[in-house]
Amino acid sequence: MTVSLEQLRRCHVAVDLGAARTRVYVKGAGLVVDEPSVAAINTRTGALIAVGAFAERMTGRTPDYIRVVRPVSGGTVVDIDMAQRMLRHLLGEKLRRALRRKPRLRAAACTPHDADPLAQRAAVETLVGLGARRVELVDTLIAAAVGCGLPVEQPTATMIMVCGAAATQVAVLSLGSIVTAVRIPVGGEAIDHAVVQHLRHAHELMLPSQAVRPLQVALHGNGITAEGPASTLIHGRDVATGLARSVHVDTAAVRDAIHTPLTAVLDGIGKVLRDCPPDLVADLTDRGIMMVGGSALLPGLDQMLRDATGMPVAIAERPDVCAVLGLGAMLEGKIAPMVLNPLTE
């Protein structure tokens, strides 16, 4: 773990700045913010028009002087000033006043595995700009494992897979630390892009900016397995004429398009298992893989991993908020480290 549990207990607020959603946990109050990481600004005046869900609904529907931006990309803050403005509006004036009354406000933040120093500094400066005197950084893999109730402090193997919007992180944990891990630049956005490209090339159809998720929902039931629906009606714009057009899309072809980026995820799981000590791999035969993250809810993804690895695969109860809930549990002091009695002669 990057910081001690004692340091985290002194923190007042936990923040998970994700590429898709921003979540804030306040000590004693619980999860207070769970909104998309989106902001809309007026380019003429520089004024912030909307943040969160309302700004996300404005995507692709604004005049030219209104720009919808995402200050977080790939789990890394790429626009510190905009991220601070977005967080201020998401927290609200009442909560900001309550946090300002803390004598020495401490904050904790999730960072992707193997985040470079610039990414870590961007996360720290974002929270310092909101009034935090000290910022503790915790690896997303450990926070998510704690949030879904895995026994990370025990000397047994725990395999977790964080399926984010921009990347997928896979790790084996033991004794509260990461034994081996890999970060794969394939996430929910890559799956969306694969579907968009398939429809553009196979059907000459351009989708609205928010139509890919409904398409994945249409693959309900067994989702990306062969038992899913045979076809789905999709509305979009014709590439050549620009007119509105609806087509019946063969979902088997869509499943093939989705499988292509997911192959990299399977390769990453294989690499983690190859780098892991044999004793821990033996533990994983019974424990299997725990999936967390918003993209873990893609129907049929867990079954595909079972077929490819031969190990049990489970999805956390609330996979999309496991990381921030894990940070919150550390803040509240609900996680106790395993105490080893020193050997005496």
Side-chain angles (χ1 to χ4, degrees):
M1 195 174 293
T2 54
V3 293
S4 67
L5 289 173
E6 185 60 35
Q7 289 174 307
L8 289 174
R9 289 193 189 99
R10 299 172 185 168
C11 295
H12 306 96
V13 60
V15 180
D16 180 13
L17 280 169
R21 299 184 74 87
T22 294
R23 300 176 177 94
V24 179
Y25 185 103
V26 175
K27 192 173 184 178
L31 186 64
V32 296
V33 174
D34 184 4
E35 293 281 345
S37 304
V38 186
I41 60 172
N42 187 326
T43 56
R44 296 174 181 172
T45 63
L48 194 63
I49 297 175
V51 295
F54 184 55
E56 188 178 48
R57 289 198 300 270
M58 295 169 64
T59 305
R61 303 171 184 270
T62 61
D64 57 357
Y65 66 91
I66 296 178
R67 186 161 56 98
V68 179
V69 297
R70 292 182 176 270
V72 184
S73 176
T76 302
V77 179
V78 294
D79 188 339
I80 296 175
D81 179 64
M82 186 55 64
Q84 291 175 350
R85 295 173 67 184
M86 180 185 72
L87 273 174
R88 288 192 193 100
H89 283 77
L90 288 176
L91 288 172
E93 183 62 32
K94 182 178 179 181
L95 186 55
R96 291 206 310 273
R97 282 201 303 267
L99 292 177
R100 279 199 297 264
R101 285 197 290 268
K102 305 289 183 182
R104 286 186 60 84
L105 180 63
R106 289 176 175 238
C110 291
T111 56
H113 178 67
D114 281 346
D116 57 80
L118 287 177
Q120 295 180 3
R121 181 169 180 174
V124 170
E125 289 189 4
T126 300
L127 297 181
V128 167
L130 292 175
R133 299 294 183 90
R134 184 182 176 93
V135 180
E136 310 290 356
L137 300 180
V138 179
D139 197 300
T140 302
L141 290 164
I142 295 179
V146 171
C148 60
L150 294 178
V152 293
E153 296 293 337
Q154 299 302 316
T156 56
T158 299
M159 191 168 188
I160 187 165
M161 178 175 170
V162 180
C163 308
T168 299
Q169 304 172 68
V170 184
V172 174
L173 310 176
S174 181
L175 287 174
S177 298
I178 297 174
V179 178
T180 178
V182 65
R183 187 181 179 197
I184 309 145
V186 173
E189 293 176 354
I191 295 174
D192 291 349
H193 182 72
V195 175
V196 169
Q197 291 302 312
H198 166 74
L199 293 177
R200 186 182 181 93
H201 294 144
H203 300 277
E204 296 184 349
L205 191 73
M206 290 182 65
L207 288 182
S209 56
Q210 300 179 27
V212 180
R213 287 301 172 185
L215 175 64
Q216 293 183 9
V217 172
L219 302 177
H220 61 277
N222 293 309
I224 58 178
T225 61
E227 289 77 16
S231 64
T232 304
L233 182 65
I234 301 298
H235 308 285
R237 190 182 76 183
D238 190 277
V239 173
T241 64
L243 300 177
R245 185 161 64 92
S246 300
V247 295
H248 281 277
V249 177
D250 183 12
T251 52
V254 175
R255 285 193 292 268
D256 292 340
I258 291 176
H259 272 288
T260 302
L262 292 180
T263 303
V265 176
L266 297 178
D267 293 342
I269 294 176
K271 182 180 184 302
V272 169
L273 293 175
R274 287 193 299 271
D275 296 342
C276 190
D279 293 338
L280 294 181
V281 175
D283 291 345
L284 295 176
T285 306
D286 298 326
R287 293 179 174 272
I289 306 172
M290 176 64 75
M291 295 176 60
V292 301
S295 299
L297 297 173
L298 180 64
L301 179 57
D302 54 339
Q303 185 60 45
M304 191 194 77
L305 294 179
R306 288 190 196 98
D307 297 338
T309 62
M311 295 191 300
V313 178
I315 302 176
E317 184 177 353
R318 299 180 64 188
D320 50 341
V321 295
C322 278
V324 72
L325 290 182
L327 270 182
M330 297 178 196
L331 265 61
E332 302 282 2
K334 298 179 181 178
I335 307 301
M338 186 176 67
V339 178
L340 298 177
N341 295 322
L343 297 177
T344 57
E345 297 181 358

